């Protein structure tokens, strides 16, 4: 009986960890698949294996999938297969740029705010909380309307909504770590604020950022699709899944399903891949979840 009490929690934890690893690898595989597609699409076009995604074909229009056009053609005359593949390039550009910008802004602000404290901390905390209370999609739509369309503008509109998340996580970790003995020892030896932040604090508060990065990337991909559907993402004729879904909306009642199905499927797979990667990393990295799994 005593042996069973120790054996069952270990077995549950082992199962949970195995599932987390599988989720992480599945998400990584899907994400890397889209990265490969984005990188290879221009090469395939130069070899003549892909149509120009921005060139409208005069014939055939809104034709179903066939050997000549694998995903069919749209009512605007675009090759859906080519636009779906190039849409991965546009999505990954905006998503990567948006998440990197939010990390570059949110992490330093969180470290400085948590370490220095005082009035700076109160002002930044109030500002970030004010931004965080706004719905992310609504904030992105408003910012996109202000800054205009384009890859960089869309990335800026998306990144501002994610900065408070990095700020709050890093600030809270900084507040808890700055009271540790090694930080006090560094301060006692006369280390400057910059040296303490860059050498001692950074490595200890950055651990949760990769998980947040992947989860925000999944949300950014979905939000970009929403902006494109609303006509606020990338310029017209740019191969972008949300924009293609918007153009395909009028064709659905007439039975032209393929112009919406394939871009929507690609967007869904990318979001699922990034979400699986983020959740798998979170299960493996987060010490609170590991401790919770051990007690079950």
């Amino acid at each position: 009986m005593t042996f069973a009490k120790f054996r069952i929690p270990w077995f549950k934890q082992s199962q949970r960890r195995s599932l987390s690893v599988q989720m992480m690898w599945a998400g990584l595989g899907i994400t890397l698949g889209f990265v490969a597609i984005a990188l290879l699409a221009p090469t395939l076009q130069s070899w003549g294996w892909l149509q120009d995604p921005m060139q409208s074909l005069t014939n055939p229009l809104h034709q179903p999938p066939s050997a000549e056009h694998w995903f069919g053609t749209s009512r605007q005359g675009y090759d859906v297969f080519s636009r779906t593949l190039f849409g991965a390039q546009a999505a990954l550009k905006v998503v990567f740029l948006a998440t990197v910008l939010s990390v570059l802004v949110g992490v330093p602000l969180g470290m400085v705010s948590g370490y220095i404290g005082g009035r700076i901390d109160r002002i930044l905390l109030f500002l970030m909380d004010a931004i965080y209370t706004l719905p992310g999609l609504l904030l992105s739509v408003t910012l996109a309307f202000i800054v205009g369309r384009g890859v960089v503008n869309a990335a800026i509109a998306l990144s501002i909504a994610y900065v408070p998340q990095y700020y709050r996580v890093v600030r809270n970790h900084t507040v808890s770590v700055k009271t540790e003995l090694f930080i006090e020892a560094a301060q006692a030896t006369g280390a400057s604020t910059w040296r303490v932040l860059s050498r001692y604090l950074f490595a200890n508060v950055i651990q949760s950022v990769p998980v947040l990065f992947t989860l925000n990337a999944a949300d950014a991909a979905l939000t970009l699709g929403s902006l494109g559907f609303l006509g606020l993402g990338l310029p017209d004729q740019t191969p972008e899944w949300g924009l293609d879904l918007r153009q395909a909306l009028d064709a659905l009642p007439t039975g032209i399903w393929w112009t919406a199905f394939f871009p929507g499927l690609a967007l869904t797979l990318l979001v699922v891949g990034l979400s699986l990667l983020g959740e798998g990393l979170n299960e493996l990295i987060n010490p609170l979840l590991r401790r919770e799994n051990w007690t079950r």
Side-chain angles (χ1 to χ4, degrees):
M1 183 68 66
T2 305
F3 178 79
K5 288 182 179 179
F6 286 96
R7 185 68 175 176
I8 292 175
W10 179 88
F11 180 73
K12 287 184 178 180
Q13 186 195 30
S14 177
Q15 272 192 327
R16 186 72 173 258
R17 185 176 180 85
S18 176
L19 179 60
S20 302
V21 172
Q22 292 174 8
M23 288 172 54
M24 184 189 69
W25 283 113
L28 182 62
I30 296 173
T31 304
L32 290 179
F34 278 100
V35 172
I37 290 173
L39 294 175
L40 292 175
T43 303
L44 295 177
Q45 183 190 358
S46 65
W47 290 349
W49 293 358
L50 283 180
Q51 298 283 346
D52 186 347
M54 300 180 66
Q55 179 182 358
S56 179
L57 305 173
T58 56
N59 187 45
L61 298 178
H62 52 80
Q63 294 298 309
S66 63
E68 184 178 0
H69 301 282
W70 290 359
F71 290 177
T73 59
S74 66
R75 297 179 67 179
Q76 293 78 24
Y78 297 124
D79 181 73
V80 179
F81 180 69
S82 179
R83 289 185 65 85
T84 302
L85 265 60
F86 274 91
Q89 189 179 74
L92 290 176
K93 280 182 180 179
V94 176
V95 167
F96 179 77
L97 185 57
T99 46
V100 167
L101 286 175
S102 57
V103 168
L104 293 178
V105 176
V107 171
L109 286 179
M111 292 177 61
V112 171
S113 178
Y115 182 73
I116 296 178
R119 181 177 298 179
I120 293 179
D121 182 49
R122 291 194 296 271
I123 293 175
L124 287 175
L125 192 60
F126 174 79
L127 178 62
M128 293 300 167
D129 285 346
I131 297 175
Y132 191 73
T133 56
L134 298 174
L137 179 59
L138 178 60
L139 179 60
S140 299
V141 168
T142 304
L143 293 172
F145 183 79
I146 295 174
V147 301
R149 304 165 75 178
V151 172
V152 177
N153 291 343
I156 293 174
L158 292 174
S159 65
I160 293 177
Y162 302 126
V163 167
Q165 299 183 32
Y166 293 98
Y167 167 84
R168 290 160 64 96
V169 170
V170 172
R171 176 195 173 275
N172 292 340
H173 284 183
T174 302
V175 170
S176 62
V177 171
K178 74 176 183 179
T179 58
E180 297 290 338
L181 291 178
F182 68 92
I183 298 294
E184 295 179 354
Q187 294 170 341
T189 58
S192 63
T193 300
W194 166 252
R195 184 174 179 84
V196 173
L197 290 175
S198 60
R199 183 170 181 177
Y200 300 103
L201 272 175
F202 180 77
N204 289 277
V205 303
I206 203 68
Q207 298 175 2
S208 59
V209 169
V211 175
L212 195 56
F213 185 94
T214 53
L215 294 177
N216 281 343
D219 187 73
L222 190 60
T223 305
L224 175 64
S226 301
L227 292 180
F229 188 81
L230 296 173
L232 297 172
L234 303 184
D236 291 336
Q237 298 184 344
T238 303
E240 195 272 312
W241 296 327
L243 179 62
D244 289 347
L245 288 173
R246 181 192 180 194
Q247 294 176 345
L249 188 62
D250 295 335
L252 286 176
T254 62
I256 305 176
W257 55 268
W258 54 89
T259 55
F261 175 78
F262 292 108
L265 178 63
L267 177 58
T268 301
L269 287 176
L270 179 59
V271 172
V272 169
L274 291 170
S275 299
L276 287 176
L277 178 59
E279 291 295 341
L281 284 174
N282 192 32
E283 290 275 355
L284 293 174
I285 294 176
N286 194 329
L288 295 178
L289 291 179
R290 290 204 303 268
R291 185 159 56 247
E292 179 185 352
N293 295 339
W294 175 259
T295 58
R296 289 180 180 178

